Amino acid sequence: MSDSQVEGAASTSGLGSRKRRWTELLAGRVKRQMCGPGTEQKLQESAVHLLRRHLNLNDLLLEVEGAPRKTLCLNQLIDPEACTNLSSSLIGSALRDQASRLGVPVAVLSSRLVASSITQICVSDGESSHRVLLSAEQRKKLSSLLEVAQYLLAHSMFSRFSLCQELWEVQGSLLLEVVWQLHIQNVVSFQELLESHADTQATVAWLFRNLCLLCEEMEASPYNDIARAMLSDLVQMFVLRGFQKNSDLRRNVEPEQMGQLAFVVLQRMLILLHLN
């Protein structure tokens, strides 16, 4: 072999060696980035953000589940006839599987799913902006949904706080009776929902507007007994909160802030009653 051939072979060998080392270096860098501290939490937060902002959760779940296995759909969850064929344990198992695939906590996925189902129920009659009471069909669907939510809650697969956040996102479509049903069925209390909203003025405005609609709808509605029970429970809560100094209930805001909210709502209701 000539001197030039030897040098060429050595040069080629050196380039290959350097190339291999560079590839290994890049592989090691990627591995370190993927395994770095906080990476998993950041990925999970990004996944949760994507899940919260996705416009069609039903389509997202079907994409994850795959076309052949449509085990869990929003329509199945809120449809009483479909829920008859799907046990709560089966729904819980499907949610665990999908949460694992999406890389998000199952409680967050469950809460998002329940909130989306609630929204579909509220807007199903097309008149949610002028009503606070559910129709008989809406009430039947909500009852089936709350049974699932109670199961998820009992098995630590549901987040009350996440549900509250999701409901405030769709407050324009949220019917007051839904909130009351969540309260009396021990899924999310009325107090928890009110306290989860950081904007007290917006909370008061939403609540007062819905109370006015409740009073208007009460006499004409065929569900007068439900309307009266709702108004009685809410007024009782406002009185207790507005004039109670101490409370042992969990709070996300200062106690006096909740008391002030109740006081303002009662004051507005009294003014409205006086004007009428």
Side-chain angles (χ1 to χ4, degrees):
M1 184 180 290
S2 66
D3 292 342
S4 61
Q5 289 176 322
V6 172
E7 290 177 0
S11 175
T12 303
S13 176
L15 287 173
S17 177
R18 286 195 295 274
K19 184 177 181 180
R20 285 194 298 272
R21 288 197 297 269
W22 180 246
T23 304
E24 293 169 359
L25 179 61
L26 286 177
R29 179 179 177 82
V30 171
K31 184 177 181 180
R32 286 195 300 273
Q33 287 179 338
M34 292 298 295
C35 300
T39 301
E40 183 177 352
Q41 181 179 356
K42 290 180 180 179
L43 288 174
Q44 188 177 87
E45 290 175 353
S46 298
V48 172
H49 178 76
L50 177 63
L51 181 64
R52 285 177 55 85
R53 299 304 174 189
H54 202 285
L55 295 180
N56 193 327
L57 182 61
N58 192 33
D59 288 346
L60 177 61
L61 293 179
L62 290 181
E63 289 173 12
V64 174
E65 189 65 25
R69 293 179 57 201
K70 298 182 180 180
T71 305
L72 181 63
C73 303
L74 290 179
N75 290 336
Q76 288 179 305
L77 188 57
I78 65 174
D79 189 336
E81 295 182 1
C83 278
T84 302
N85 300 321
L86 288 176
S87 66
S88 295
S89 59
L90 178 60
I91 293 175
S93 177
L95 281 169
R96 284 190 185 277
D97 182 55
Q98 289 171 335
S100 177
R101 296 186 186 190
L102 289 169
V104 298
V106 63
V108 173
L109 178 61
S110 299
S111 304
R112 180 73 177 91
L113 186 59
V114 170
S116 297
S117 301
I118 287 175
T119 303
Q120 286 196 5
I121 292 172
C122 288
V123 302
S124 60
D125 65 351
E127 300 179 1
S128 59
S129 60
H130 303 291
R131 293 179 52 196
V132 294
L133 297 176
L134 297 166
S135 66
E137 183 64 21
Q138 287 175 312
R139 199 170 290 116
K140 185 179 179 181
K141 290 181 178 181
L142 181 63
S143 177
S144 298
L145 177 62
L146 295 186
E147 287 182 10
V148 176
Q150 288 171 334
Y151 173 88
L152 297 173
L153 189 60
H155 290 78
S156 302
M157 299 170 59
F158 190 81
S159 169
R160 288 186 174 96
F161 182 71
S162 293
L163 179 63
C164 290
Q165 289 182 312
E166 297 292 344
L167 292 180
W168 283 121
E169 290 286 335
V170 294
Q171 59 181 291
S173 303
L174 188 62
L175 297 181
L176 187 62
E177 185 184 341
V178 171
V179 179
W180 180 69
Q181 292 284 358
L182 287 169
H183 174 79
I184 63 175
Q185 296 299 328
N186 297 317
V187 176
V188 172
S189 72
F190 213 102
Q191 292 88 337
E192 284 180 286
L193 180 66
L194 296 180
E195 293 169 353
S196 67
H197 203 315
D199 191 340
T200 304
Q201 291 185 348
T203 305
V204 169
W206 174 85
L207 191 54
F208 181 69
R209 177 176 63 85
N210 278 275
L211 286 171
C212 290
L213 290 173
L214 176 62
C215 293
E216 293 175 3
E217 193 175 345
M218 184 180 299
E219 298 302 327
S221 172
Y223 309 110
N224 184 272
D225 54 338
I226 294 177
R228 290 185 180 278
M230 287 174 56
L231 187 59
S232 176
D233 287 348
L234 294 175
V235 171
Q236 183 179 8
M237 183 194 71
F238 295 147
V239 171
L240 289 174
R241 291 297 192 179
F243 299 96
Q244 188 174 1
K245 294 182 179 181
N246 299 314
S247 176
D248 58 353
L249 296 179
R250 293 179 302 169
R251 298 178 179 280
N252 296 319
V253 295
E254 294 298 324
E256 59 270 16
Q257 189 171 350
M258 181 60 195
Q260 181 65 22
L261 185 151
F263 179 80
V264 171
V265 171
L266 282 174
Q267 189 177 46
R268 290 191 180 187
M269 290 178 66
L270 289 173
I271 292 174
L272 181 64
L273 182 62
H274 178 73
L275 292 176
N276 291 336

PDB file of all heavy atoms in Angstrom, residues 84-96:
ATOM      1  N   THR A  84     -76.866   2.694  30.688  1.00  0.00           N
ATOM      2  CA  THR A  84     -77.407   1.460  31.245  1.00  0.00           C
ATOM      3  C   THR A  84     -76.522   0.269  30.897  1.00  0.00           C
ATOM      4  O   THR A  84     -76.372  -0.667  31.678  1.00  0.00           O
ATOM      5  CB  THR A  84     -78.833   1.223  30.713  1.00  0.00           C
ATOM      6  OG1 THR A  84     -79.642   2.340  31.064  1.00  0.00           O
ATOM      7  CG2 THR A  84     -79.433  -0.035  31.308  1.00  0.00           C
ATOM      8  N   ASN A  85     -75.921   0.344  29.714  1.00  0.00           N
ATOM      9  CA  ASN A  85     -75.069  -0.738  29.249  1.00  0.00           C
ATOM     10  C   ASN A  85     -73.611  -0.560  29.643  1.00  0.00           C
ATOM     11  O   ASN A  85     -72.788  -1.416  29.352  1.00  0.00           O
ATOM     12  CB  ASN A  85     -75.171  -0.866  27.721  1.00  0.00           C
ATOM     13  CG  ASN A  85     -76.589  -1.165  27.265  1.00  0.00           C
ATOM     14  OD1 ASN A  85     -77.302  -1.931  27.909  1.00  0.00           O
ATOM     15  ND2 ASN A  85     -76.998  -0.552  26.162  1.00  0.00           N
ATOM     16  N   LEU A  86     -73.280   0.562  30.253  1.00  0.00           N
ATOM     17  CA  LEU A  86     -71.913   0.832  30.677  1.00  0.00           C
ATOM     18  C   LEU A  86     -71.894   1.018  32.188  1.00  0.00           C
ATOM     19  O   LEU A  86     -72.422   1.993  32.695  1.00  0.00           O
ATOM     20  CB  LEU A  86     -71.374   2.094  29.994  1.00  0.00           C
ATOM     21  CG  LEU A  86     -71.058   1.994  28.496  1.00  0.00           C
ATOM     22  CD1 LEU A  86     -70.632   3.352  27.973  1.00  0.00           C
ATOM     23  CD2 LEU A  86     -69.976   0.970  28.240  1.00  0.00           C
ATOM     24  N   SER A  87     -71.287   0.095  32.896  1.00  0.00           N
ATOM     25  CA  SER A  87     -71.198   0.230  34.341  1.00  0.00           C
ATOM     26  C   SER A  87     -70.205   1.330  34.686  1.00  0.00           C
ATOM     27  O   SER A  87     -69.309   1.664  33.900  1.00  0.00           O
ATOM     28  CB  SER A  87     -70.756  -1.091  34.972  1.00  0.00           C
ATOM     29  OG  SER A  87     -69.429  -1.398  34.574  1.00  0.00           O
ATOM     30  N   SER A  88     -70.340   1.894  35.889  1.00  0.00           N
ATOM     31  CA  SER A  88     -69.431   2.939  36.340  1.00  0.00           C
ATOM     32  C   SER A  88     -68.000   2.415  36.414  1.00  0.00           C
ATOM     33  O   SER A  88     -67.042   3.143  36.125  1.00  0.00           O
ATOM     34  CB  SER A  88     -69.868   3.467  37.700  1.00  0.00           C
ATOM     35  OG  SER A  88     -71.126   4.108  37.617  1.00  0.00           O
ATOM     36  N   SER A  89     -67.852   1.143  36.799  1.00  0.00           N
ATOM     37  CA  SER A  89     -66.508   0.565  36.890  1.00  0.00           C
ATOM     38  C   SER A  89     -65.866   0.454  35.515  1.00  0.00           C
ATOM     39  O   SER A  89     -64.655   0.669  35.355  1.00  0.00           O
ATOM     40  CB  SER A  89     -66.569  -0.811  37.556  1.00  0.00           C
ATOM     41  OG  SER A  89     -67.398  -1.689  36.816  1.00  0.00           O
ATOM     42  N   LEU A  90     -66.672   0.139  34.487  1.00  0.00           N
ATOM     43  CA  LEU A  90     -66.146   0.056  33.131  1.00  0.00           C
ATOM     44  C   LEU A  90     -65.717   1.438  32.640  1.00  0.00           C
ATOM     45  O   LEU A  90     -64.666   1.595  32.014  1.00  0.00           O
ATOM     46  CB  LEU A  90     -67.200  -0.528  32.191  1.00  0.00           C
ATOM     47  CG  LEU A  90     -66.804  -0.628  30.707  1.00  0.00           C
ATOM     48  CD1 LEU A  90     -65.586  -1.510  30.528  1.00  0.00           C
ATOM     49  CD2 LEU A  90     -67.966  -1.157  29.881  1.00  0.00           C
ATOM     50  N   ILE A  91     -66.529   2.444  32.918  1.00  0.00           N
ATOM     51  CA  ILE A  91     -66.180   3.811  32.542  1.00  0.00           C
ATOM     52  C   ILE A  91     -64.909   4.244  33.259  1.00  0.00           C
ATOM     53  O   ILE A  91     -64.014   4.851  32.666  1.00  0.00           O
ATOM     54  CB  ILE A  91     -67.337   4.773  32.868  1.00  0.00           C
ATOM     55  CG1 ILE A  91     -68.537   4.461  31.969  1.00  0.00           C
ATOM     56  CG2 ILE A  91     -66.915   6.222  32.671  1.00  0.00           C
ATOM     57  CD1 ILE A  91     -69.772   5.268  32.285  1.00  0.00           C
ATOM     58  N   GLY A  92     -64.807   3.910  34.554  1.00  0.00           N
ATOM     59  CA  GLY A  92     -63.607   4.253  35.312  1.00  0.00           C
ATOM     60  C   GLY A  92     -62.370   3.591  34.744  1.00  0.00           C
ATOM     61  O   GLY A  92     -61.300   4.208  34.639  1.00  0.00           O
ATOM     62  N   SER A  93     -62.499   2.320  34.358  1.00  0.00           N
ATOM     63  CA  SER A  93     -61.372   1.597  33.775  1.00  0.00           C
ATOM     64  C   SER A  93     -60.941   2.224  32.453  1.00  0.00           C
ATOM     65  O   SER A  93     -59.744   2.366  32.176  1.00  0.00           O
ATOM     66  CB  SER A  93     -61.755   0.128  33.565  1.00  0.00           C
ATOM     67  OG  SER A  93     -60.712  -0.584  32.937  1.00  0.00           O
ATOM     68  N   ALA A  94     -61.917   2.604  31.623  1.00  0.00           N
ATOM     69  CA  ALA A  94     -61.609   3.237  30.344  1.00  0.00           C
ATOM     70  C   ALA A  94     -60.925   4.579  30.553  1.00  0.00           C
ATOM     71  O   ALA A  94     -59.995   4.934  29.824  1.00  0.00           O
ATOM     72  CB  ALA A  94     -62.887   3.417  29.535  1.00  0.00           C
ATOM     73  N   LEU A  95     -61.372   5.323  31.546  1.00  0.00           N
ATOM     74  CA  LEU A  95     -60.764   6.624  31.827  1.00  0.00           C
ATOM     75  C   LEU A  95     -59.320   6.467  32.298  1.00  0.00           C
ATOM     76  O   LEU A  95     -58.445   7.250  31.920  1.00  0.00           O
ATOM     77  CB  LEU A  95     -61.582   7.364  32.883  1.00  0.00           C
ATOM     78  CG  LEU A  95     -62.852   8.047  32.371  1.00  0.00           C
ATOM     79  CD1 LEU A  95     -63.715   8.519  33.532  1.00  0.00           C
ATOM     80  CD2 LEU A  95     -62.496   9.218  31.461  1.00  0.00           C
ATOM     81  N   ARG A  96     -59.064   5.471  33.138  1.00  0.00           N
ATOM     82  CA  ARG A  96     -57.690   5.221  33.587  1.00  0.00           C
ATOM     83  C   ARG A  96     -56.782   4.914  32.402  1.00  0.00           C
ATOM     84  O   ARG A  96     -55.662   5.417  32.301  1.00  0.00           O
ATOM     85  CB  ARG A  96     -57.665   4.055  34.571  1.00  0.00           C
ATOM     86  CG  ARG A  96     -58.162   4.386  35.965  1.00  0.00           C
ATOM     87  CD  ARG A  96     -57.873   3.241  36.919  1.00  0.00           C
ATOM     88  NE  ARG A  96     -58.437   3.464  38.235  1.00  0.00           N
ATOM     89  CZ  ARG A  96     -57.849   4.201  39.181  1.00  0.00           C
ATOM     90  NH1 ARG A  96     -56.684   4.773  38.926  1.00  0.00           N
ATOM     91  NH2 ARG A  96     -58.435   4.355  40.366  1.00  0.00           N
TER      92      ARG A  96
END
